[in-house]
Amino acid sequence: MGDYMGAGSAAMLLGALVPTFLLSRLLLWITKRWNSGVPRLLLVHIICGALAVVASANGYSEAGTPDWSRSPLYIVAQLIWLIVDFVRCRRQSQIAS
């Protein structure tokens, strides 16, 4: 993240949280009939993270060259949603027990 550290990086992370949330919710909804659990969460979040990194690199590109410098922000944002979903999944399994 280099020169994006500080207050600006917090705003950029917040901006990365929105599309990663929306994309992960869409893929979780599409895969809701799958056997729920950790493997589904991991697969969905790996796919979403990869798509978010590629989309951001192309979105920030200049002269057609992808800019991968902001990719760590999107990886961190996706990891946040993965942790949130792990916690939710664990709580639901504890309630069901």
Side-chain angles (χ1 to χ4, degrees):
M1 286 191 294
D3 46 4
Y4 297 108
M5 299 299 277
S9 66
M12 291 181 71
L13 179 59
L14 184 61
L17 284 168
V18 174
T20 53
F21 173 78
L22 295 174
L23 186 58
S24 64
R25 298 311 106 173
L26 176 64
L27 284 181
L28 286 170
W29 179 74
I30 289 171
T31 62
K32 68 182 173 185
R33 291 187 179 199
W34 293 10
N35 182 18
S36 60
V38 173
R40 174 180 163 241
L41 290 177
L42 282 173
L43 181 63
V44 163
H45 285 283
I46 288 170
I47 291 169
C48 289
L51 290 173
V53 165
V54 170
S56 71
N58 286 305
Y60 289 112
S61 71
E62 293 184 28
T65 304
D67 180 356
W68 301 99
S69 66
R70 292 171 183 90
S71 296
L73 286 169
Y74 288 85
I75 293 169
V76 169
Q78 195 64 56
L79 285 173
I80 289 169
W81 295 126
L82 175 62
I83 292 167
V84 167
D85 286 342
F86 273 151
V87 170
R88 290 179 64 207
C89 182
R90 190 166 188 195
R91 284 187 182 163
Q92 288 174 353
S93 68
Q94 288 176 347
I95 292 171
S97 301

